[in-house]
Amino acid sequence: MSKRTLIASTMMGAFALTGSAVVSATTLSDLHKEEAKIHAAAAKSQEKINSLFEQSQDLLVEYRGVVDETENLKIYNDYLASLVADQQRGIDSLQSQIDSIEDTKQGIVPLMFQMIDSLEKFIDLDVPIRLDERKERVEKLRDLMANSNVTVSEQFRQVLDAYLIETEYGTRIASYQGTLDDSGTEVTVDFFNLGRTALLALSLDQKNAWVWNNDSRSWEKLGDEYLASVNEAVKMANNLVPPELIKLPIKAAE
């Protein structure tokens, strides 16, 4: 091999080595870039995972709270249902005596007066749902008892009807207008009652709301955070909006 050929071969070998090094460096650079992209994508994915995990934990806490509240309301509703069932058993027992009522006037008439007195005391101690209407019904029963043109069986039927109506107040959701005393000022409001569980009131301008405290026998003003939910409750009772879950100030069963 001549010197010229040897030199040319050597130069070609050097160029080949140089080209290989350039290719390797370029490949490594690309790999580093791709690896950086993978790490960045993994970091973003981890951030999303962390965010979703935190949201799931918040939802879990909220769900457990709703479950606990639902259980408390279920227990209280079961308690009310047992009272209603007990009242119904008493009414059914009395109803079975109507057929022989003429033969037992001496016992029935005093019983009716006792029932009317008990009903009046119950209304005075109960949540004041449609209070004027209920008191008026008691007065009509007293007038009925003094009316000689009304048979004893009819008197007894109307006394039983009054008890049935009282039972229904504890099982219905209703809204009606009336007035309440707010620190000496008479305010016209929309009342809303969830059976006997809660009695609420909303001013007609929807700027004030109250809840009845049966322990203190007084109306308590609610914070602004309840205005929207009380307004929705009134609308639902009047069939203006479909029923849905709302936040109401309900006293837990003891």
Side-chain angles (χ1 to χ4, degrees):
M1 184 180 295
S2 66
K3 289 183 178 181
R4 182 178 298 177
T5 302
L6 183 59
I7 292 170
S9 298
T10 302
M11 290 180 66
M12 289 177 65
F15 280 132
L17 289 173
T18 301
S20 176
V22 170
V23 171
S24 297
T26 301
T27 302
L28 279 174
S29 177
D30 290 341
L31 287 174
H32 284 308
K33 288 179 181 179
E34 290 301 320
E35 185 178 6
K37 289 180 181 179
I38 292 170
H39 284 306
K44 287 183 179 179
S45 297
Q46 188 61 45
E47 288 178 3
K48 290 181 180 179
I49 291 170
N50 293 340
S51 177
L52 290 173
F53 178 76
E54 291 175 359
Q55 292 177 22
S56 67
Q57 291 299 106
D58 292 340
L59 289 173
L60 179 60
V61 171
E62 183 178 351
Y63 168 76
R64 287 174 175 171
V66 170
V67 169
D68 291 341
E69 184 177 355
T70 301
E71 285 299 317
N72 289 336
L73 288 175
K74 181 180 182 301
I75 292 170
Y76 188 57
N77 285 336
D78 289 344
Y79 166 71
L80 291 178
S82 68
L83 293 182
V84 171
D86 184 63
Q87 290 176 346
Q88 189 61 49
R89 284 192 293 270
I91 292 171
D92 292 342
S93 176
L94 291 171
Q95 186 67 40
S96 66
Q97 303 174 36
I98 290 180
D99 294 338
S100 60
I101 198 168
E102 292 298 332
D103 299 329
T104 57
K105 284 184 179 179
Q106 289 184 343
I108 290 297
V109 172
L111 173 62
M112 286 191 290
F113 279 111
Q114 292 174 11
M115 291 175 69
I116 294 171
D117 290 340
S118 297
L119 183 60
E120 185 175 38
K121 291 177 181 177
F122 174 78
I123 291 172
D124 288 337
L125 296 173
D126 191 29
V127 177
I129 304 166
R130 298 186 181 272
L131 185 59
D132 293 339
E133 177 183 307
R134 295 161 74 187
K135 286 188 173 183
E136 183 180 356
R137 187 177 297 111
V138 171
E139 289 305 312
K140 286 183 178 179
L141 288 176
R142 295 196 187 282
D143 293 338
L144 187 72
M145 295 300 295
N147 189 340
S148 60
N149 294 322
V150 182
T151 63
V152 173
S153 59
E154 177 60 19
Q155 291 171 341
F156 193 67
R157 185 191 68 78
Q158 293 203 29
V159 171
L160 287 178
D161 282 346
Y163 270 76
L164 286 172
I165 293 171
E166 285 295 323
T167 300
E168 291 174 355
Y169 286 133
T171 60
R172 290 182 177 178
I173 295 175
S175 177
Y176 57 97
Q177 282 196 357
T179 60
L180 61 79
D181 187 342
D182 181 30
S183 302
T185 302
E186 189 175 85
V187 182
T188 302
V189 298
D190 284 314
F191 289 108
F192 168 83
N193 68 286
L194 180 64
R196 286 187 167 89
T197 304
L199 176 61
L200 304 163
L202 179 69
S203 61
L204 297 186
D205 61 8
Q206 301 177 3
K207 292 182 179 180
N208 294 287
W210 298 263
V211 62
W212 175 258
N213 186 329
N214 210 44
D215 294 332
S216 63
R217 305 295 300 173
S218 63
W219 288 100
E220 296 178 353
K221 205 163 192 176
L222 293 173
D224 292 342
E225 68 272 16
Y226 285 105
L227 289 176
S229 57
V230 175
N231 186 28
E232 282 298 303
V234 171
K235 289 180 179 179
M236 282 191 286
N238 290 323
N239 296 318
L240 298 177
V241 296
E244 61 180 6
L245 288 175
I246 53 176
K247 178 183 178 182
L248 293 176
I250 296 175
K251 184 178 180 180
E254 296 180 357

